[in-house]
Amino acid sequence: MANERLRGAIIESGLTLEQVAERLGVSAKTVERWINEPKRQPYRRFKYAAASLLQCEMSFLWPEERTSAEVTEAGNAELIKLYPHRSVVPNRLWPQLYAGATRQFDVLVYSGFWLTEDPAFHQVVKEKSSAGIPVRFMLGDPDSAAVATRGADEGIGAAMASKIRNALVNYAPLFGLPRVEFRLHATTLYNSIYRADDKMLANGHLYGVGAYMAPVLHIQRIPGGELFDAYAESVERVWETARPISSPTDLGGSSA
């Protein structure tokens, strides 16, 4: 049976299939399949985008989906604590977070310089490496356009790239440890993400403000929640496109 709710919402909106497809970033044939072959479900991001575009509840267009209230309730349960600034997060929380890692240990930042000077954090990395747990560091490529833009936005210019280079030097003792990998990325970083298994600290970025003054979400994955997974998926996308390096001075081949 065709998805008549989706068809009707598109007609009601006054948009053509081609216009809907263009705004969602897909082909018109794809939208037609969503209508005529409902077993071929869109990815969730397209469901959200379509619902927003057509001004409908996602659960109306796709009844098998949960209501916004249910999603919101699950999201609230995922939030452990909100810190208004990274500077007020207890210093001990970062190594404590990673001390609980048994499967995943991820650091996604531009520099995260302050963390490189924490002896307790270094010790946790070494312990997890010895235990055979994969540790993934993703730092900004200091020669990339994205890093230069962030430096300009924060009013520190080339100092942003210098912080990354200094952070890599501080991490020198960790290069070569078993299961510890470093990569450089050139993405526009909207959040610095510190993940250990099913818990993480997500430090948002605000235009013109250093990350230490931006909010931090302490969140956990729970059944039915979507907040944690949204951040976790972004980590994977950065990791896949980032460039591996083997030493603190292995900065050639810039992706700028």
Side-chain angles (χ1 to χ4, degrees), residues 60-228:
F60 171 78
L61 299 175
W62 290 277
E64 68 279 3
E65 291 289 344
R66 295 174 299 159
T67 66
S68 296
E70 291 172 324
V71 172
T72 299
E73 183 177 356
N76 288 337
E78 289 182 275
L79 180 63
I80 298 173
K81 188 167 184 176
L82 168 63
Y83 295 92
H85 311 295
R86 194 190 72 201
S87 59
V88 302
V89 178
N91 291 336
R92 66 181 182 280
L93 183 56
W94 309 90
Q96 285 179 351
L97 174 79
Y98 286 114
T102 60
R103 305 184 312 277
Q104 291 175 288
F105 186 128
D106 296 328
V107 178
L108 170 58
V109 294
Y110 270 147
S111 72
F113 183 78
W114 55 277
L115 196 59
T116 73
E117 298 185 309
D118 185 345
F121 175 70
H122 279 251
Q123 183 60 34
V124 171
V125 173
K126 294 174 182 176
E127 291 173 356
K128 296 305 175 181
S129 170
S130 297
I133 297 168
V135 178
R136 305 188 301 180
F137 285 95
M138 290 154 270
L139 278 70
D141 185 334
D143 296 320
S144 69
V147 167
T149 298
R150 180 55 58 84
D153 290 346
E154 293 189 9
I156 61 174
M160 177 62 72
S162 296
K163 287 171 63 178
I164 295 171
R165 293 187 176 92
N166 290 340
L168 289 169
V169 170
N170 287 350
Y171 279 142
L174 304 181
F175 278 84
L177 291 179
R179 306 299 302 276
V180 176
E181 294 184 72
F182 284 84
R183 293 189 181 185
L184 298 181
H185 68 87
T187 62
T188 299
L189 194 63
Y190 300 105
N191 297 274
S192 295
I193 299 176
Y194 309 84
R195 177 188 182 178
D197 293 352
D198 293 334
K199 292 186 178 181
M200 71 169 58
L201 293 163
N203 183 189
H205 292 286
L206 303 175
Y207 181 80
V209 177
Y212 70 97
M213 284 297 292
V216 173
L217 299 176
H218 189 186
I219 58 179
Q220 62 185 341
R221 171 185 277 143
I222 66 166
E226 298 181 5
L227 183 61
F228 182 97

